[in-house]
């Protein structure tokens, strides 16, 4: 949690002095997004004396900071743009261990950019689906235009509600002319859409909230009319994959979910994975056909869970179902580090 801690003093979250630079990103609407830029640990060690000597705290001009220049001026640097879950701030819960896991695979080269959506933390504005998508687009544009990192060296990472934001921004750029495609996208604990999430949610994984009403279609359909933000991830992942296939663009999408996730049932990932796979084919696979493919394609990892990959000449769609990890704890686990490493290595085999 961020209680009793100041976001402008990242050292109180366990970071080294000036390992994290707090700053703001201006949105297309003139708002301000509060953000952190996190340096990988080995790169920090190499420049420790200069970083320690620099003033700490919020930077009104990040381009003047050593950390920013280390990111901008390194042609081998990679950047993970992190889109967090609902509630809290960039410093809440398991997000800090998550940042460390994301950089662990290459502690000289992998930086993290994380930010609070409008209305979260110190960011201005009022949250909405369209607003959060604009915020994510602004963060990407800052990375590309200000930090000078090309999309091929950027990985989009989302967890929980952040997966819906990640898919929306990935789809947005893939549909541009010419298309803009990132090194890859990682979705941790995604959901099909808000209506389906509400229908499947249970308190502590035991007490259903609205699931019993799903037995009464008319009642449930009426209640769905009160859902303002839809977050239609199922449709977005299909459009994203289909656009990349039609444009012959290389893409990678990894979906990760723990079976003991009490907040978002892991079956949401199964549904999204299947829809992404179907978007690569001219004719949807039936349930039986998909199960037949699973028999040969799915790898049983025992207590670690299972993995299944679907490859085309353009893309890699990967599903990882873990036995354990809950909703948030998984974010600090080695599976995150490996997923990041795998995507960057696949995108550029020469990168080390």
């Amino acid at each position: 949690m961020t209680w009793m801690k100041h976001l402008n003093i990242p050292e109180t979250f366990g970071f080294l002095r000036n390992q994290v630079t707090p700053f703001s990103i201006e949105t297309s609407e003139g708002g301000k997004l509060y953000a952190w830029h996190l340096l990988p640990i080995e790169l920090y060690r190499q420049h420790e004396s200069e970083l320690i000597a620099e003033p700490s705290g919020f930077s009104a001009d990040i381009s003047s900071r050593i950390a920013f220049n280390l990111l901008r001026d390194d042609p081998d640097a990679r950047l993970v743009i992190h889109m967090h879950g609902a509630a809290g701030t960039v410093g809440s819960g398991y997000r800090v261990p998550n940042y460390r896991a994301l950089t662990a695979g290459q502690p000289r080269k992998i930086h993290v950019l994380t930010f609070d959506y409008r209305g979260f933390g110190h960011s201005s504005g009022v949250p909405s689906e369209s607003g959060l998508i604009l915020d994510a687009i602004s963060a990407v544009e800052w990375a590309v235009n200000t930090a000078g990192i090309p999309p091929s060296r950027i990985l989009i990472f989302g967890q929980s509600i952040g997966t819906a934001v990640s898919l929306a921004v990935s789809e947005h750029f893939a549909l541009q002319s010419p298309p803009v495609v990132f090194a890859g996208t990682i979705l941790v604990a995604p959901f099909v859409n808000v209506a389906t999430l509400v229908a499947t949610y249970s308190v502590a994984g035991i007490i259903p909230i609205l699931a019993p009403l799903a037995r009464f279609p008319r009642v449930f359909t009426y209640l769905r009319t009160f859902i303002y933000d839809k977050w239609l991830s199922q449709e977005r992942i299909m459009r994203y994959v289909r656009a990349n296939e039609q444009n012959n663009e290389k893409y990678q999408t990894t979906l990760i979910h723990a079976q003991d996730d009490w907040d978002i049932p892991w079956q949401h990932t199964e549904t999204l994975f299947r829809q992404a796979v179907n978007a690569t084919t001219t004719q949807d696979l039936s349930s039986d056909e998909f199960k037949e493919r699973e028999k040969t394609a799915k790898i049983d990892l025992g207590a670690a869970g299972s993995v299944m990959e679907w490859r085309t000449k353009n893309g890699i769609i990967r599903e990882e179902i873990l036995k354990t990890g809950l909703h948030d704890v998984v974010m600090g686990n080695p599976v995150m580090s490996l997923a990041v490493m795998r995507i960057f290595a696949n995108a550029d085999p020469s990168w080390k």
Side-chain angles (χ1 to χ4, degrees), residues 49-85:
S49 58
E50 306 103 286
L51 289 162
I52 289 175
E54 192 176 42
S56 63
F58 183 86
S59 175
D61 178 16
I62 192 172
S63 65
S64 66
R65 299 297 291 267
I66 293 171
F68 173 81
N69 287 280
L70 290 173
L71 169 64
R72 182 191 61 191
D73 298 341
D74 183 0
D76 287 329
R78 298 297 189 270
L79 180 64
V80 177
I81 300 182
H82 181 281
M83 301 178 191
H84 65 63

Side-chain angles (χ1 to χ4, degrees), residues 10-319:
E11 292 81 359
T12 61
F13 294 86
F15 293 108
L16 301 166
R17 176 179 168 86
N18 284 331
Q19 185 184 4
V20 171
T21 306
F23 71 106
S24 63
I25 296 171
E26 187 169 345
T27 69
S28 58
E29 304 163 302
K32 297 286 186 180
L33 301 179
Y34 184 83
W36 277 359
H37 166 219
L38 173 66
L39 275 179
I41 189 65
E42 173 58 16
L43 184 62
Y44 180 94
R45 185 197 66 79
Q46 293 174 358
H47 299 272
E48 184 176 8
S49 58
E50 306 103 286
L51 289 162
I52 289 175
E54 192 176 42
S56 63
F58 183 86
S59 175
D61 178 16
I62 192 172
S63 65
S64 66
R65 299 297 291 267
I66 293 171
F68 173 81
N69 287 280
L70 290 173
L71 169 64
R72 182 191 61 191
D73 298 341
D74 183 0
D76 287 329
R78 298 297 189 270
L79 180 64
V80 177
I81 300 182
H82 181 281
M83 301 178 191
H84 65 63
T89 70
V90 291
S92 296
Y94 289 91
R95 290 166 193 166
V96 169
N98 185 207
Y99 307 147
R100 297 192 179 105
L102 296 176
T103 69
Q106 218 327 344
R108 289 188 304 113
K109 299 295 183 181
I110 303 176
H111 300 241
V112 173
L113 169 66
T114 186
F115 62 96
D116 281 332
Y117 313 114
R118 62 185 64 196
F120 288 65
H122 296 319
S123 294
S124 62
V126 178
S128 67
E129 179 172 354
S130 59
L132 267 61
I133 294 170
L134 288 175
D135 293 344
I137 292 171
S138 296
V140 170
E141 290 178 341
W142 178 90
V144 174
N145 299 326
T146 302
I149 309 300
S152 61
R153 291 198 272 129
I154 293 174
L155 186 155
I156 304 296
F157 178 95
Q159 188 260 349
S160 194
I161 188 69
T163 63
V165 182
S166 296
L167 278 173
V169 75
S170 296
E171 179 202 11
H172 168 84
F173 282 100
L175 294 177
Q176 299 302 298
S177 182
V180 176
V181 182
F182 306 101
T185 304
I186 296 177
L187 309 171
V188 181
F191 56 93
V192 171
N193 54 53
V194 171
T196 304
L197 177 59
V198 169
T200 57
Y201 180 76
S202 299
V203 177
I206 300 173
I207 306 171
I209 300 298
L210 294 180
L213 295 179
R215 301 175 184 175
F216 307 95
R218 289 185 180 180
V219 175
F220 194 70
T221 299
Y222 172 71
L223 291 175
R224 288 176 63 170
T225 63
F226 291 94
I227 299 175
Y228 179 72
D229 292 328
K230 310 296 185 183
W231 291 115
L232 304 176
S233 291
Q234 177 172 304
E235 288 80 356
R236 284 191 169 119
I237 198 169
M238 293 182 70
R239 290 195 296 265
Y240 167 72
V241 169
R242 191 171 289 126
N244 289 327
E245 290 290 341
Q246 291 173 349
N247 295 328
N248 287 317
E249 294 285 344
K250 302 298 182 184
Y251 67 96
Q252 299 180 75
T253 301
T254 296
L255 301 94
I256 302 174
H257 217 134
Q259 289 182 331
D260 61 355
D261 185 336
W262 290 351
D263 295 289
I264 301 177
W266 62 274
Q267 288 85 357
H268 282 258
T269 282
E270 279 196 326
T271 299
L272 287 172
F273 177 70
R274 180 176 170 183
Q275 294 304 317
V277 167
N278 275 332
T280 69
T281 64
T282 55
Q283 184 175 355
D284 287 357
L285 296 174
S286 68
S287 179
D288 289 340
E289 289 173 327
F290 194 80
K291 287 179 180 178
E292 281 299 313
R293 297 288 186 97
E294 274 189 322
K295 291 179 182 178
T296 56
K298 181 172 284 191
I299 301 173
D300 186 350
L301 302 177
S306 65
V307 171
M308 183 173 174
E309 275 193 354
W310 183 273
R311 290 177 177 254
T312 70
K313 67 174 184 178
N314 296 310
I316 303 173
I317 305 169
R318 182 180 175 93
E319 175 197 70

